[in-house]
Amino acid sequence: MLESVKDFLYWAESLFNKKLVYFGHGFDNAWDEALALVIFVKGVNWDVDESFLTETLNDAEQQQLFDLVQQRVEKRMPIAYLVGEAWFLGLPFSVNREVLIPRSPIAELIDDGFSLWFKGRSPQNILDLCAGSACIGVCCALTFSGAKVDSSDISASALQLAKKNRTTYELEDRLELIQSDLFQNLAGRSYDLIVANPPYVDQVDMDNLPPEYTHEPSMALAAGDDGLDFVKLILAQANDYLNDEGVIIVEVGNSQEAMIAQFPSVPFLWLEFAQGGHGVFALTAQQLKECRKLFVS
Ligand SMILES: C[S@@+](CC[C@H](N)C(=O)[O-])C[C@H]1O[C@@H](n2cnc3c(N)ncnc32)[C@H](O)[C@@H]1O
């Protein structure tokens, strides 16, 4: 019988480990995934004290937890979609299956205020390209309180969710949501900082994704044979939207290798992350100006 929170945690932890669920969406262990479920069902906050472990579970709570565990184990549904929430830079974001579950290492750069490029000055205009839940745009707006941020995405349903997150953080006056196929509807705008986490998964990786990832929108992941379909388009056009002293930061994940192989002369600055993650580069507007023609097909 799963009478207490603790009983549930031990049971769910051992089941998640036995069934080899894949941890790639915010949690890296079974205990934390189980904890997220019981915190959701009990409607408490993450900073709940230890006495929570001995709280009892009523019949309805037990049933709800069984159902959620079943979806996690049998359908391989990520916890974030089950509870409708994911954490990014220490903040909760609403998520649903219309958006990628936030996990970009770019969070670390935001936390650091992009200090490599913005020492003694702050970006005034920021573009969060391929925004999904707008986790990056929201965190940029919260970090740079004087900045105007545009979060754009091609998906209307992703933008609907982004709107919810914008409301949560009361950013209606500084964060604009724009439906756009890359730069298509951004004519006339210019930015000090463009941050893009576009789709970048190559075909081999797409074919071998753990089942958890198949619940995410494939339009948020798939980017052609070499994973570079979107990043090449972005780099071919970005100069038209970057101020002279601006910088563009793009995540390409495992497609870093293909990027280096195809563009050996481009001075990408590949960034390092203390908390894990890879495949994020920066180019200044000046650097991009000199090599942009390489990306124009
Ligand atoms: C990897 S997800 C990133 C989401 C979010 N920025 C994050 O870090 O969690 C990529 C996003 O790009 C969007 N996207 C795909 N094709 C696009 C296009 N042609 N123009 C703009 N956005 C696009 C998808 O809808 C998805 O939300």
Side-chain angles (χ1 to χ4, degrees), residues 12-281:
E13 180 192 38
S14 101
L15 190 66
F16 290 162
N17 283 328
K18 190 167 133 207
K19 298 286 184 179
L20 299 176
V21 298
Y22 188 85
F23 304 116
H25 293 95
F27 300 105
D28 61 4
N29 65 81
W31 179 269
D32 286 350
E33 290 217 344
L35 192 56
L37 290 182
V38 74
I39 277 178
F40 169 66
V41 167
K42 293 293 264 179
V44 296
N45 289 325
W46 275 91
D47 59 2
V48 66
D49 67 50
E50 254 188 51
S51 64
F52 176 59
L53 295 176
T54 54
E55 272 186 35
T56 52
L57 296 167
N58 65 32
D59 288 350
E61 289 166 343
Q62 289 188 28
Q63 188 57 52
Q64 195 183 354
L65 284 165
F66 272 126
D67 292 345
L68 290 167
V69 165
Q70 199 169 19
Q71 289 193 65
R72 179 70 187 97
V73 168
E74 283 170 19
K75 297 195 177 142
R76 303 274 152 169
M77 188 67 77
I79 295 288
Y81 289 148
L82 292 174
V83 304
E85 181 182 85
W87 291 75
F88 187 73
L89 202 48
L91 297 172
F93 284 86
S94 290
V95 294
N96 62 23
R97 290 191 52 201
E98 303 298 335
V99 298
L100 187 95
I101 297 168
R103 54 178 172 276
S104 171
I106 289 172
E108 222 176 290
L109 303 178
I110 303 173
D111 200 27
D112 169 57
F114 298 95
S115 66
L116 261 184
W117 308 276
F118 294 96
K119 266 209 187 79
R121 66 181 183 123
S122 292
Q124 298 301 303
N125 292 285
I126 301 171
L127 173 61
D128 165 26
L129 189 66
C130 299
S133 62
C135 57
I136 289 176
V138 164
C139 287
C140 283
L142 294 174
T143 299
F144 300 107
S145 57
K148 158 94 173 50
V149 179
D150 291 342
S151 284
S152 73
D153 201 288
I154 198 169
S155 158
S157 32
L159 288 170
Q160 245 177 2
L161 207 269
K163 192 171 175 190
K164 189 168 176 201
N165 287 317
R166 179 177 69 172
T167 305
T168 300
Y169 292 100
E170 299 178 352
L171 289 167
E172 288 87 344
D173 56 337
R174 286 196 298 120
L175 195 154
E176 189 174 347
L177 298 169
I178 304 166
Q179 189 172 11
S180 177
D181 180 354
L182 297 180
F183 293 102
Q184 204 169 66
N185 296 337
L186 302 176
R189 297 176 188 245
S190 62
Y191 303 96
D192 301 317
L193 173 62
I194 297 177
V195 185
N197 179 13
Y200 58 70
V201 183
D202 68 25
Q203 198 52 53
V204 172
D205 279 359
M206 279 307 289
D207 293 341
N208 291 288
L209 285 176
E212 275 78 355
Y213 293 85
T214 62
H215 295 292
E216 296 191 291
S218 70
M219 70 181 299
L221 299 170
D225 277 352
D226 60 8
L228 304 185
D229 282 7
F230 293 89
V231 66
K232 286 195 277 196
L233 289 171
I234 291 169
L235 293 181
Q237 300 170 68
N239 261 130
D240 298 337
Y241 303 87
L242 264 181
N243 295 329
D244 283 349
E245 301 304 313
V247 62
I248 179 165
I249 295 184
V250 187
E251 178 169 342
V252 295
N254 287 348
S255 299
Q256 172 174 356
E257 244 177 70
M259 216 41 201
I260 294 171
Q262 285 187 40
F263 303 104
S265 63
V266 176
F268 298 116
L269 175 63
W270 294 99
L271 302 164
E272 291 187 1
F273 297 94
Q275 290 158 41
H278 65 281
V280 179
F281 68 81

